[in-house]
Amino acid sequence: MWSTLLIPCILVGSISVFKFIRLYETSEKHQQTLISLAYSRFDDFSEYGADEMKKKVRLLCWVMTSPKNHNLKAIHVKNTWGKRCNILVFMTTKPDPNLPYIILPVKDGRGQLWKKSQEALKYIYNHYLDSFDWILKADDDTLFFPENARYLLSRYDPKEPLWMGCKMKMLHTPVFLSGGAGYIFSKQAVKIFVEEAIKDNTYCYPEINDWADDLQIGKCFEKLQVKLIDTRDENALHRFLPLSPFFHLKPLENEEDRKSWWWSAAYYKDETYFGGDCCSNTTISFHYVSPEDQYLFYNVFYNIRPYGKQSLDNSESPPKPPPDETLTELQFLNKEARRSRLQSDINFIRNIFKKHKSDGQ
């Protein structure tokens, strides 16, 4: 599926991108000129269907960044998929004339991510509430496809409290969403979070310092009964992916991959994360994408069209749900799978203690 499309596209698309990367690395002062010359053709948003969907499903993209990453990562999001959002804002702590930035009253550092997320949502609530239907939260190394997000969102009502992304689950935690893969809030979910959650410690813990902002938001939304949407497609393939395209598109050849942090936390512990059929045809995001690869995939997916390949313009709208969407967590996981999840969670915690012990020595 993906492999037959992606491999020839990358071979063709990488030619122009490789030239761009070499020039980009050679001289920093040519950066903006090269970007405008190489990618000006991507500024046409008159694609059939996508432009109408952009008017109906208004998407505000909030990208979390920091001053040290403004030129390293954030500017490249702005120059690629960021321009396809209805509104694009970068949440940071220092101004930058090259970015549509918002300065938040927090310190830099991973330990401040939970407070940074709270301040970002409060700012969006106070300044943009009437300008969007949905909010996407992404990192500055997330690769995102706004058109596919709007296609999925067309099935839902932003006036309901909803959120969606890549589902994760660890021992003694609620189901939460991977922050790196990005997640989407409805307007109503944002209102509930700002008006109720962060003002009441019975829902959230707003004062703690925590880098796991995705987990903290998951705890809040579970108590607030914000509905978590299953974002897989009608073939149960994933739309939000927590790692890079190069990782997910390769076959599972090394069993060590099953011992990684993300596998321990993955809600769906199955083979649909790997290989040519890992990802939905309407994939929405990947994570850990370098600036060079942002341009590569932007070129491949927005500028190259294989002859005879059916377009999503003719796809059923809104999209169909996954086949097991109505199953509860306990119904979804049989006894053997629950035992496997418990063991993987135990292994994950053991590895953390081992790491801390070795660091202490």
Side-chain angles (χ1 to χ4, degrees):
M1 189 185 300
W2 269 66
S3 57
T4 56
L5 170 62
L6 188 61
I7 293 174
C9 285
I10 288 179
L11 291 174
V12 177
S14 59
I15 296 175
S16 61
V17 177
F18 179 70
K19 291 179 180 178
F20 166 78
I21 292 170
R22 289 185 61 189
L23 289 169
Y24 169 80
E25 293 177 339
T26 302
S27 177
E28 184 178 353
K29 71 178 183 179
H30 293 308
Q31 176 182 357
Q32 296 301 325
T33 302
L34 289 169
I35 290 171
S36 63
L37 288 174
Y39 300 100
S40 60
R41 55 184 169 172
F42 295 142
D43 293 335
D44 180 11
F45 298 109
S46 60
E47 297 98 333
Y48 175 76
D51 52 346
E52 289 300 315
M53 187 73 79
K54 187 176 182 180
K55 298 174 185 176
K56 296 177 181 178
V57 184
R58 300 175 302 164
L59 186 65
L60 184 151
C61 299
W62 142 35
V63 180
M64 195 81 90
T65 190
S66 61
K68 69 177 182 179
N69 282 339
H70 286 181
N71 290 326
L72 290 176
K73 297 179 180 181
I75 190 66
H76 307 297
V77 169
K78 176 190 172 186
N79 291 329
T80 54
W81 61 262
K83 64 179 72 174
R84 292 179 171 265
C85 302
N86 294 77
I87 300 172
L88 174 67
V89 292
F90 289 88
M91 298 296 179
T92 185
T93 56
K94 291 183 179 179
D96 189 321
N98 296 316
L99 297 173
Y101 66 87
I102 304 297
I103 297 179
L104 300 177
V106 295
K107 298 178 182 179
D108 278 318
R110 286 183 60 80
Q112 299 296 312
L113 286 178
W114 171 223
K115 289 186 176 180
K116 200 171 182 180
S117 290
Q118 295 177 65
E119 293 297 329
L121 285 166
K122 285 193 290 185
Y123 188 94
I124 291 169
Y125 173 88
N126 289 325
H127 295 86
Y128 289 103
L129 191 62
D130 295 328
S131 302
F132 69 89
D133 303 306
W134 303 89
I135 289 180
L136 161 84
K137 180 270 175 186
D139 287 348
D140 52 18
D141 59 352
T142 304
L143 171 65
F144 185 68
F145 300 102
E147 291 82 2
N148 288 349
R150 293 189 186 99
Y151 175 62
L152 173 63
L153 294 171
S154 67
R155 184 171 175 241
Y156 301 100
D157 184 353
K159 296 178 182 178
E160 296 181 8
L162 309 172
W163 74 317
M164 58 194 77
C166 175
K167 292 169 71 173
M168 313 290 274
K169 179 78 170 72
M170 293 191 296
L171 191 65
H172 300 314
T173 72
V175 178
F176 63 100
L177 300 179
S178 164
Y183 36 78
I184 295 176
F185 306 95
S186 67
K187 176 184 289 191
Q188 185 61 25
V190 175
K191 292 180 67 175
I192 290 175
F193 182 85
V194 175
E195 294 174 1
E196 300 180 34
I198 58 179
K199 296 180 180 179
D200 189 339
N201 285 347
T202 60
Y203 295 118
C204 295
Y205 304 96
E207 299 304 320
I208 67 172
N209 295 325
D210 195 352
W211 60 268
D213 54 323
D214 46 9
L215 177 57
Q216 291 299 330
I217 291 175
K219 291 178 179 179
C220 293
F221 279 176
E222 182 185 51
K223 294 178 181 178
L224 290 164
Q225 297 184 334
V226 174
K227 185 177 180 181
L228 184 57
I229 299 298
D230 188 342
T231 58
R232 295 172 302 151
D233 68 13
E234 65 269 25
N235 298 311
L237 298 179
H238 302 284
R239 287 188 171 104
F240 289 80
L241 282 302
L243 300 175
S244 78
F246 300 107
F247 180 89
H248 287 292
L249 288 168
K250 70 178 183 179
L252 179 62
E253 298 175 346
N254 189 347
E255 286 298 319
E256 289 298 313
D257 288 337
R258 295 183 187 274
K259 300 178 182 178
S260 64
W261 67 266
W262 79 270
W263 182 263
S264 297
Y267 182 85
Y268 302 104
K269 298 184 186 297
D270 53 37
E271 302 299 313
T272 58
Y273 281 110
F274 304 98
D277 290 332
C278 77
C279 320
S280 170
N281 284 339
T282 53
T283 288
I284 291 174
S285 70
F286 292 98
H287 189 209
Y288 298 124
V289 179
S290 69
E292 295 84 0
D293 290 336
Q294 291 279 6
Y295 292 107
L296 170 62
F297 286 106
Y298 193 68
N299 188 1
V300 167
F301 288 106
Y302 285 105
N303 197 52
I304 297 175
R305 297 290 187 273
Y307 176 77
K309 186 71 176 177
Q310 184 179 4
S311 170
L312 282 175
D313 298 339
N314 299 320
S315 296
E316 183 175 345
S317 185
K320 295 179 180 179
D324 51 3
E325 181 187 40
T326 58
L327 296 183
T328 66
E329 182 179 351
L330 290 178
Q331 289 173 325
F332 178 81
L333 299 170
N334 59 32
K335 185 176 181 180
E336 182 178 353
R338 290 200 300 274
R339 187 184 299 116
S340 174
R341 177 185 299 283
L342 177 61
Q343 186 59 50
S344 65
D345 287 340
I346 292 172
N347 291 338
F348 177 72
I349 293 171
R350 283 175 177 168
N351 289 335
I352 291 177
F353 280 119
K354 287 181 181 178
K355 184 178 186 304
H356 282 300
K357 185 177 180 181
S358 61
D359 290 345
Q361 293 174 346

